[in-house]
Amino acid sequence: MTDTTYVGAVDQGTTGTRFIVFDHEGQVVANAYETHEQIYPEPGWVEHDPMEIWENTKAVIQQALGQAGIAPSQLTAIGVTNQRETTVLWDADSGKPVHNAIVWQDRRTTDRVEALEEEGKVEAIREKTGLEADAYFSATKAEWLLDNADPIKLERARPEDIRDRAEKGDVLFGTIDTWLIYNLTGNHVTEVTNASRTMLYDIHDLEWDDDLLEEFSIPEAMLPEVRPSSDDDTYGTTDPDGFLEAEVPVAGALGDQQAALFGQTCFDAGDAKNTYGTGSFFLMNTGDEAVESDHGLLTTIGFQRSGEPVQYALEGSIFVTGAAIEWLEDMTLIEDPAETAELARSVDSTDGVYVVPAFTGLGAPHWDQRARGTIVGMTRGTRKGHVVRATLESIAYQTRDVAEAMEADSGIEMRSLKVDGGAVKNNYLCQLQSDIIGSEIVRPVVDETTALGSAYAAGLAVGYWDDPDELRSNWQVDAEFEPEMDRDRADRRYERWNDAVERSRDWARDEEE
């Protein structure tokens, strides 16, 4: 049976949408990808067109199945993983968005978050949600959309405004998982990991929080039902009369970073992974205990299987890592990311140059929304190689920032870190990361762990895989990297990094004044 059946995963990311088909061994059978437009209406604002994302989703599913000669009926289930926090509001009648999606990177609600800080509401938000009050999360984005979305986009004349219609459940809220599941199945659901990133969900009581809904003026009628990440009851099936012409269960979903945790088989307390994408996201499984952070990390939901307790995680969100490599391309310092290793090796050191890529502020453990990108230590002798090497080193230093906070909060010394994402194909970066963090770095054979995690969640729900032990047996090591740098040298360089970070902080405030 499993020789001719598969599980598919929609991996909807910040820059594009991918559909991957996996076989029973967790190996990639087919893979298709489409990018979507990045929309920047104003400085610090980032939007996506939800309809473009949905059209691309349909396209990549059909492309992947076509290239492998797989019929939709051979898919036992579909899983969904998504860019988290990105927020969509849409008309329940037409299914059309009322505005572009506001992306997780967007900073337009920074003033609203600062008002929360001034009103002394941050601690109460952290206690319920495990999150720092930040424009990063969905609550202030949804609030902004309800206040500012253009009623013309509803494409029909209505006497009520969007907020009135939301009170009746005629305008729906969702993160990207919800938007895709709605379009795939017709059902308005999310799952616990994505709900935990909205800043509206109590991660201890596992319910939408009335006080937070009131604070952000979010009507409960517009919210999706919250379900397990791997749902034996499934979220619904695709329409046999729709684009797939088949009924395929949509049975699993996870926010992208929790999906990578699941795909890396980090099922036990103390297991940790770091995903290097546009940003980097470092998660450690803390079991059924929601560990409160004293060091600037987020307490979040890691995953939940049907009928089982929620598994929690500590998370360090680094806003810019892969995006720093893209910046090097934008600045024409490199033509291709593959050049970075060669350029970095062309110099013996950064020659005292440090790059702090705080282009959208600093995430964990600093949480400074007004920090900005900074280069310090340049001299007349500074060359391209120094800046490129310093940019790669910034990725490693930011990860150590989070690793040290993680160990302090959890009390667990991390001896090994599983890594995934596009940047880990760079052996130079992996070795550098091991040197700076002082731990073993382990890279798996299948590096599409985000898509794999959502496939695993969906496949477990429908019985394609029996249990997590079967998934562990699929996981294989591609390469391991052990620390080679002298520890004192690594520590000195890290201390200097901290000096550079201080110079980047609170910069945007001065600029506005």
Side-chain angles (χ1 to χ4, degrees):
M1 175 77 174
T2 56
D3 290 342
T4 57
T5 57
Y6 308 91
V7 176
V10 177
D11 183 353
Q12 204 301 297
T14 306
T15 55
T17 306
R18 189 180 299 279
F19 187 72
I20 301 182
V21 180
F22 294 96
D23 65 16
H24 196 258
E25 283 66 50
Q27 298 299 307
V28 174
V29 176
N31 186 340
Y33 180 74
E34 293 281 350
T35 60
H36 58 258
E37 182 183 4
Q38 305 295 311
I39 303 165
Y40 305 104
E42 295 186 27
W45 294 26
V46 191
E47 297 178 358
H48 293 156
D49 177 354
M51 291 306 299
E52 182 187 11
I53 286 174
W54 170 234
E55 291 301 320
N56 284 356
T57 300
K58 291 189 289 185
V60 295
I61 292 174
Q62 291 170 318
Q63 288 167 23
L65 294 176
Q67 70 181 236
I70 294 171
S73 59
Q74 290 177 264
L75 294 176
T76 58
I78 291 174
V80 174
T81 182
N82 56 289
Q83 50 168 318
R84 301 173 305 172
E85 298 93 23
T86 296
T87 302
V88 189
L89 267 56
W90 67 93
D91 183 287
D93 290 341
S94 69
K96 299 292 178 62
V98 304
H99 191 277
N100 282 334
I102 300 182
V103 179
W104 61 273
Q105 299 160 310
D106 189 281
R107 310 309 294 175
R108 76 186 65 185
T109 58
T110 294
D111 290 344
R112 176 71 171 100
V113 172
E114 289 176 342
L116 292 170
E117 294 169 352
E118 290 167 5
E119 293 163 11
K121 296 178 177 177
V122 170
E123 186 56 37
I125 290 172
R126 185 187 297 114
E127 286 177 2
K128 291 180 175 183
T129 68
L131 308 176
E132 295 287 331
D134 196 272
Y136 175 31
F137 304 109
S138 306
T140 59
K141 301 179 194 301
E143 181 183 42
W144 188 96
L145 285 168
L146 286 169
D147 290 338
N148 295 281
D150 183 357
I152 293 172
K153 291 186 182 291
L154 290 170
E155 296 184 353
R156 60 170 82 182
R158 293 187 180 277
E160 309 103 329
D161 66 13
I162 289 172
R163 189 175 287 283
D164 290 335
R165 299 201 65 236
E167 294 275 3
K168 300 173 183 177
D170 292 335
V171 170
L172 304 179
F173 160 89
T175 41
I176 294 292
D177 63 307
T178 305
W179 169 246
L180 293 180
I181 292 168
Y182 182 85
N183 280 284
L184 286 165
T185 69
N187 295 325
H188 187 215
V189 300
T190 188
E191 55 74 52
V192 289
T193 71
N194 276 291
S196 77
R197 309 298 294 191
T198 60
M199 213 161 73
L200 298 170
Y201 190 73
D202 188 318
I203 64 170
H204 309 286
D205 294 338
L206 302 180
E207 61 186 14
W208 299 114
D209 184 81
D210 291 340
D211 293 337
L212 293 173
L213 296 181
E214 182 178 356
E215 172 64 40
F216 297 107
S217 302
I218 307 294
E220 188 167 4
M222 72 186 305
L223 298 177
E225 179 187 359
V226 184
R227 305 277 284 276
S229 315
S230 177
D231 191 351
D232 293 354
D233 293 332
T234 81
Y235 309 136
T237 61
T238 58
D239 184 351
D241 298 322
F243 76 102
L244 269 183
E245 299 181 342
E247 279 190 290
V248 182
V250 181
L254 294 140
D256 53 8
Q257 303 313 319
Q258 286 93 337
L261 189 76
F262 208 78
Q264 289 272 36
T265 66
C266 294
F267 300 138
D268 298 325
D271 290 349
K273 72 89 199 176
N274 194 22
T275 298
Y276 299 76
T278 303
S280 281
F281 298 87
F282 191 141
L283 273 72
M284 176 185 282
N285 185 328
T286 61
D288 56 10
E289 180 185 2
V291 175
E292 185 175 340
S293 175
D294 296 321
H295 298 85
L297 301 178
L298 307 179
T299 304
T300 195
I301 293 176
F303 56 87
Q304 183 186 28
R305 294 184 61 200
S306 289
E308 296 187 3
V310 159
Q311 298 292 294
Y312 293 95
L314 280 171
E315 174 173 335
S317 307
I318 305 167
F319 292 158
V320 174
T321 52
I325 307 301
E326 293 171 4
W327 170 75
L328 292 174
E329 288 187 86
D330 295 341
M331 295 294 288
T332 66
L333 292 171
I334 61 172
E335 293 183 3
D336 185 274
E339 295 176 37
T340 55
E342 182 181 352
L343 278 165
R345 289 191 182 100
S346 72
V347 291
D348 294 333
S349 70
T350 66
D351 203 24
V353 174
Y354 285 79
V355 173
V356 183
F359 303 135
T360 54
L362 287 168
H366 310 287
W367 295 104
D368 185 342
Q369 298 183 87
R370 297 190 181 276
R372 286 297 178 265
T374 306
I375 305 177
V376 298
M378 290 192 295
T379 68
R380 185 64 182 81
T382 299
R383 296 291 180 264
K384 178 165 60 174
H386 298 122
V387 175
V388 170
R389 183 168 179 145
T391 302
L392 287 180
E393 289 192 1
S394 76
I395 296 173
Y397 292 132
Q398 289 181 99
T399 302
R400 178 164 169 176
D401 285 344
V402 173
E404 295 205 341
M406 197 80 71
E407 290 183 345
D409 279 330
S410 69
I412 299 170
E413 182 181 356
M414 191 187 63
R415 299 185 184 279
S416 180
L417 177 64
K418 294 179 176 179
V419 298
D420 54 75
V424 304
K425 294 179 176 69
N426 185 328
N427 287 343
Y428 176 87
L429 175 61
C430 288
Q431 184 58 56
L432 177 66
Q433 185 67 87
S434 178
D435 289 340
I436 296 299
I437 205 173
S439 295
E440 176 189 52
I441 299 294
V442 183
R443 182 174 68 201
V445 170
V446 177
D447 59 3
E448 295 288 358
T449 53
T450 302
L452 182 60
S454 68
Y456 279 166
L460 283 169
V462 299
Y464 186 73
W465 290 290
D466 292 332
D467 53 42
D469 286 337
E470 192 173 4
L471 306 183
R472 285 190 182 96
S473 67
N474 281 347
W475 193 87
Q476 297 174 358
V477 173
D478 174 59
E480 296 175 292
F481 301 86
E482 297 283 352
E484 295 176 354
M485 185 182 296
D486 176 76
R487 199 78 222 117
D488 289 340
R489 182 183 174 209
D491 290 345
R492 287 194 301 272
R493 289 166 64 174
Y494 179 65
E495 288 170 10
R496 197 64 169 146
W497 157 259
N498 288 325
D499 294 338
V501 168
E502 284 304 310
R503 283 157 174 76
S504 76
R505 302 193 66 159
D506 206 31
W507 186 261
R509 188 182 305 278
D510 294 337
E511 182 180 60
E512 289 172 3
E513 293 169 357

